[in-house]
Amino acid sequence: MHYLDHAATTPVPEEVARAMVSVLTEQFGNPSAQYELGRQAKLLVDQSRSTIARALDCRPDQVVFTSCGTEGDNWAIRAALHQNRRVGKHIVTTAVEHSAVLQCVKQLEQEGYAATYVKPDRSGRISADQIAAALREDTALVSVMLVNNETGAVFPVAEIAALLKDRPALLHTDAVQGFMKIPFTAKSLGADYITLSAHKIGGPKGIGALYIGGRAKNTMPLLFGGGQENGLRPGTEATAQVAGFAKAVELRMARREEIFARLAACRDYAREKLSAIPDLQFIGPADAPHILSVSLPGYPSQNIVTELSGKSVYISAGSACHRGKASHVLVAMGLERKTAAGTVRISFGPETAFEDIDALAEALLEHRNTRFPML
Ligand code: PLP
């Protein structure tokens, strides 16, 4: 198998699975329980929180576990708007956010908010000046992702934070594709909310975290119930997932520099190999080391993905969340229909070998040479 879809999800290393099994079968207590087994579970959640906090270089009480990146995005957006309810009802975001942000903002428009969607240039990048130009007196929230999940473009979150220093608008960044892929800390980004998700970095699915810091205060919970997570995120803690998330972070932190270099080496090797394929175009800037988008204009991406999967080469047509639909990211970048419809995303992880990329290049070339363009 040649798995080249790490931006969709990642394999869970043995150590992570073992940590989770041990929690499920031995340290299975409810962290709210008074007895020893419960206390152990509480300790485990607190230690795991400290691990995530170390990775962000923030205080543990600024990290709250969520059920996924989608929840973190929705919560941050609603919490910021609640805090800034007297500032106004205007949101600035980008046209290329993940649907966890875009659909939440679209829902808020139905509820009476106004939104400005900043568009990227043809390369997929967005500048802080564009965000500045979109700000209004009544802007309560700016939500800009750190790394785009389809093109690997890195957005200037720290510059945007500097822009908002003397303004009331709060800043949220969806860092799901940036965490452990590009170096940053909570302070270096300067955002008030930072969304993370475990399954993009070798952790299990169904667990994420939200950093709540900076100027965020009196955070409104998204759900109401028990007093878990300091009353901010009720629901019995997903202890096994939490432990798996922390173990995945620990493993990646220990080899952080080596992994950054490995991912970049894979991207550069793939660029070199794929540039030999006639007509193939590189899409987007691939600033982040783990994502490379390419197009075979005229060859529908769904067909490419299906044919490659028959050869056990796994890549995706744009974002895995948009199966069958034209990618809103590529549309916002202004790509021609033929080019957008022929775009596939290749993404790397620490486990990726150059042989996986060789297999991909071979399969793509064969597709190009044996199929007729249809679009
Ligand atoms: N944000 C980005 C940029 C993503 O790539 C994803 C997952 O694809 C999410 C949010 C959603 O994360 P989760 O799958 O944990 O809900």
Side-chain angles (χ1 to χ4, degrees), residues 7-9 66-73 96-101 145-150 174-178 195-200 204-208 291 319-321 345:
T9 199
T66 59
S67 69
C68 57
T70 301
E71 181 186 323
D73 284 345
V96 296
E97 296 295 308
H98 187 271
S99 47
V101 166
M145 69 202 317
L146 182 59
V147 173
N148 183 268
N149 48 299
E150 293 191 35
D174 172 340
V176 167
Q177 293 289 350
T195 303
L196 309 178
S197 177
H199 75 101
K200 310 290 187 182
K205 294 164 188 60
I207 183 79
I291 296 177
S319 152
C321 305
R345 178 186 68 184

Side-chain angles (χ1 to χ4, degrees), residues 52-341:
I52 315 291
R54 266 197 303 282
L56 288 176
D57 196 16
C58 69
R59 296 196 315 267
D61 65 310
Q62 294 175 313
V63 174
V64 184
F65 288 110
T66 59
S67 69
C68 57
T70 301
E71 181 186 323
D73 284 345
N74 276 261
W75 183 17
I77 289 168
R78 287 200 178 261
L81 292 173
H82 181 74
Q83 178 178 327
N84 267 350
R85 60 196 176 282
R86 287 186 193 86
V87 173
K89 289 196 146 197
H90 180 237
I91 303 164
V92 174
T93 188
T94 79
V96 296
E97 296 295 308
H98 187 271
S99 47
V101 166
L102 278 184
Q103 295 307 318
C104 178
V105 174
K106 293 235 174 328
Q107 171 59 29
L108 285 159
E109 285 185 288
Q110 301 283 317
E111 296 173 23
Y113 287 83
T116 302
Y117 300 91
V118 174
K119 279 194 175 177
D121 60 18
R122 274 187 75 84
S123 80
R125 289 207 180 96
I126 279 174
S127 70
D129 286 347
Q130 286 177 278
I131 301 294
L135 292 174
R136 304 190 328 203
E137 282 297 306
D138 62 341
T139 304
L141 165 71
V142 175
S143 181
V144 174
M145 69 202 317
L146 182 59
V147 173
N148 183 268
N149 48 299
E150 293 191 35
T151 63
V154 175
F155 293 156
V157 174
E159 268 181 76
I160 297 168
L163 205 75
L164 298 180
K165 210 160 62 70
D166 301 319
R167 286 178 166 267
L170 290 160
L171 177 61
H172 164 242
T173 187
D174 172 340
V176 167
Q177 293 289 350
F179 188 49
M180 298 282 149
K181 309 289 168 55
I182 60 169
F184 72 85
T185 63
K187 198 162 161 208
S188 76
L189 288 185
D192 303 299
Y193 306 87
I194 303 172
T195 303
L196 309 178
S197 177
H199 75 101
K200 310 290 187 182
I201 59 149
K205 294 164 188 60
I207 183 79
L210 183 64
Y211 160 86
I212 306 176
R215 296 166 300 153
K217 51 179 188 287
N218 302 328
T219 301
M220 187 197 73
L222 188 62
L223 307 172
F224 296 87
Q228 292 94 345
E229 297 291 278
N230 234 348
L232 285 173
R233 207 288 181 176
T236 302
E237 296 86 341
T239 48
Q241 270 90 340
V242 163
F245 187 6
K247 180 54 85 178
V249 168
E250 203 182 294
L251 293 176
R252 293 236 175 170
M253 281 286 281
R255 298 174 47 211
R256 198 147 62 145
E257 303 307 320
E258 179 207 329
I259 292 174
F260 290 160
R262 174 83 205 149
L263 296 175
C266 286
R267 178 197 54 200
D268 297 345
Y269 183 71
R271 253 206 205 114
E272 190 194 313
K273 289 292 286 190
L274 299 180
S275 57
I277 298 176
D279 309 324
L280 182 135
Q281 289 180 22
F282 293 97
I283 306 296
D287 299 322
H290 64 302
I291 296 177
L292 190 62
S293 247
V294 301
S295 176
L296 274 178
Y299 296 80
S301 58
Q302 300 298 323
N303 296 359
I304 301 176
V305 168
T306 309
E307 185 161 317
L308 265 57
S309 103
K311 296 175 178 158
S312 299
V313 175
Y314 299 125
I315 58 170
S316 79
S319 152
C321 305
H322 291 282
R323 252 182 282 169
K325 273 198 277 164
S327 150
H328 66 283
V329 175
L330 304 176
V331 170
M333 285 164 65
L335 293 191
E336 292 76 32
R337 204 178 70 81
K338 248 169 82 164
T339 310

Side-chain angles (χ1 to χ4, degrees), residues 24-40:
L24 289 168
T25 56
E26 289 162 39
Q27 302 153 273
F28 58 82
N30 186 323
S32 299
Q34 300 292 307
Y35 43 79
E36 183 52 26
L37 199 62
R39 273 198 294 275
Q40 276 175 19

